């Protein structure tokens, strides 16, 4: 049975589910995602399998289908009330979490599942990596070693992009980021053209507004445009281990490409690679996680908590 979680005497807005409780919410809906499709969208080091897709992500896609229908109905009522012409407004989902937690895999699996629901055949996925400032810009600002921190993004451009898509604007473009060159790709773009659902995945997508000194000015944030949000969670020490494991695998794959920004790491021994990865985690990823990413967890609509084997063990859903 699901239970309402509480802290001290303050009721929690979340309902906690075990994985078995959550899996029952599937309600016998058929799984139409095939094993080869799951393998294609699975990230490096992420061990999501058909069982997890069936027990965790299929029930979540069913819940999201309900949300999409309900939000569309609310939009129709509101436009009728205002006397506006109804426009196609996409349902926007934000997905947040640490480096190495598997949020990219979560985003891709949900995209494939949602495309199979009749009301959401067009689902687009954007990662906030495309809105990182170019390396030359980061270096000029002294931020190259803080890539992934909130200040390393062009936050105005990202906010404008999501606002334009959410308003129903056709053909909205976003920059393209290359994990091979570790930089924005000049002249390349991704075009989003009035999808049914837009998934926005990134470290800091649930960041709250900062306090302004001018009380008469307000600041919008990305999450203002989200209809639903997911935070993929795991213990910090587990995330560190996954990051190091992923670094070792990348040394044998992407880092081996001479064009890779990280090609210099390809020849490291196992011990050297572990030490290098642990140092990067300690200097960059863990401080960013503790300072900027983890504090946004309780702003999510739903929290997926992973165990040591990468499998989701618990689910927390915010009550409306």
């Amino acid at each position: 049975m699901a239970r309402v979680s509480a802290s001290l005497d303050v009721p929690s807005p979340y309902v906690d589910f075990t994985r078995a409780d959550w899996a029952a919410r599937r309600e016998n809906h058929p799984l139409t995602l095939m094993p080869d499709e799951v393998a294609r969208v699975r990230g490096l080091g992420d061990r999501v399998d058909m069982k997890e897709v069936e027990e965790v992500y299929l029930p979540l896609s069913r819940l999201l289908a309900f949300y999409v229908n309900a939000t569309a109905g609310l939009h129709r009522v509101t436009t009728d009330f205002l006397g506006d012409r109804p426009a196609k407004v996409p349902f926007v989902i934000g997905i947040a979490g640490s480096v190495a937690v598997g949020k990219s895999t979560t985003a891709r699996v949900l995209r494939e599942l949602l495309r199979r629901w009749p009301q959401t055949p067009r689902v687009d996925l954007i990662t906030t990596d495309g809105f990182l400032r170019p390396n030359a810009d980061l270096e000029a600002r002294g931020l190259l070693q803080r890539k992934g921190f909130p200040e390393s993004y062009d936050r105005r451009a990202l906010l404008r992009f999501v606002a334009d898509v959410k308003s129903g604007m056709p053909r909205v473009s976003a920059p393209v980021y290359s994990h091979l060159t570790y930089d924005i790709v000049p002249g390349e773009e991704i075009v989003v053209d009035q999808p049914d659902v837009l998934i926005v995945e990134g470290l800091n997508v649930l960041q709250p507004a900062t306090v302004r000194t001018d009380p008469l000015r307000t600041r919008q944030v990305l999450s203002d445009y989200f209809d639903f949000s997911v935070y993929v969670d795991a213990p910090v020490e587990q995330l560190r281990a996954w990051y190091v494991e992923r670094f070792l695998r990348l040394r044998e794959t992407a880092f081996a490409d001479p064009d890779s920004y990280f090609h210099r790491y390809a020849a490291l021994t196992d011990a050297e690679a572990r030490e290098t990865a642990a140092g990067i985690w300690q200097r960059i990823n863990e401080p960013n996680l503790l300072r900027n990413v983890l504090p946004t967890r309780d702003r999510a609509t739903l929290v997926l908590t992973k165990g040591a084997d990468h499998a989701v063990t618990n689910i927390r859903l915010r009550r409306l």
Side-chain angles (χ1 to χ4, degrees), residues 62-252:
R62 179 172 178 259
L63 175 66
L64 286 167
F66 291 149
Y67 269 73
V68 169
N69 283 336
T71 303
L74 181 60
H75 176 66
R76 287 192 297 269
V77 169
T78 304
T79 53
D80 286 347
F81 176 79
L82 296 174
D84 290 341
R85 292 179 59 190
K88 182 178 180 179
V89 176
F91 188 90
V92 181
I93 303 168
I95 298 182
S98 171
V99 170
V101 76
K103 60 185 179 299
S104 296
T105 297
T106 293
R108 291 192 292 263
V109 169
L110 283 179
R111 176 186 61 189
E112 296 307 315
L113 286 170
L114 286 170
R115 283 175 172 173
R116 289 159 170 77
W117 286 91
Q119 65 270 41
T120 55
R122 297 182 60 192
V123 183
D124 284 339
L125 168 61
I126 288 290
T127 70
T128 58
D129 290 345
F131 293 91
L132 283 162
R133 297 185 183 277
N135 285 352
D137 189 0
L138 291 174
E139 193 164 10
R141 295 167 181 255
L143 295 174
L144 193 56
Q145 295 302 310
R146 293 176 67 81
K147 187 176 266 195
F149 283 69
E151 60 269 26
S152 66
Y153 295 87
D154 187 341
R155 286 176 281 186
R156 287 185 180 179
L158 176 57
L159 183 66
R160 186 164 54 248
F161 168 82
V162 176
D164 287 346
V165 175
K166 184 66 174 175
S167 70
M169 186 179 295
R171 298 192 59 78
V172 183
S173 62
V176 173
Y177 183 82
S178 168
H179 287 275
L180 182 67
T181 63
Y182 195 58
D183 205 353
I184 300 298
V185 181
E188 288 196 24
E189 62 181 20
I190 298 172
V191 177
V192 174
D193 191 7
Q194 297 181 311
D196 300 302
V197 175
L198 174 67
I199 300 174
V200 182
E201 177 257 307
L203 292 167
N204 302 296
V205 298
L206 294 178
Q207 282 282 308
T210 55
V211 177
R212 288 184 174 270
T213 55
D214 183 354
L216 298 180
R217 295 186 64 188
T218 59
R219 177 180 173 184
Q220 290 182 318
V221 292
L222 197 61
S223 59
D224 290 339
Y225 295 94
F226 293 166
D227 298 290
F228 195 97
S229 56
V230 178
Y231 186 96
V232 187
D233 192 28
V236 175
E237 61 275 12
Q238 194 63 63
L239 292 167
R240 177 188 178 277
W242 292 345
Y243 178 79
V244 172
E245 290 170 7
R246 189 176 74 174
F247 189 93
L248 292 173
R249 291 189 180 94
L250 286 170
R251 183 192 50 170
E252 300 168 356

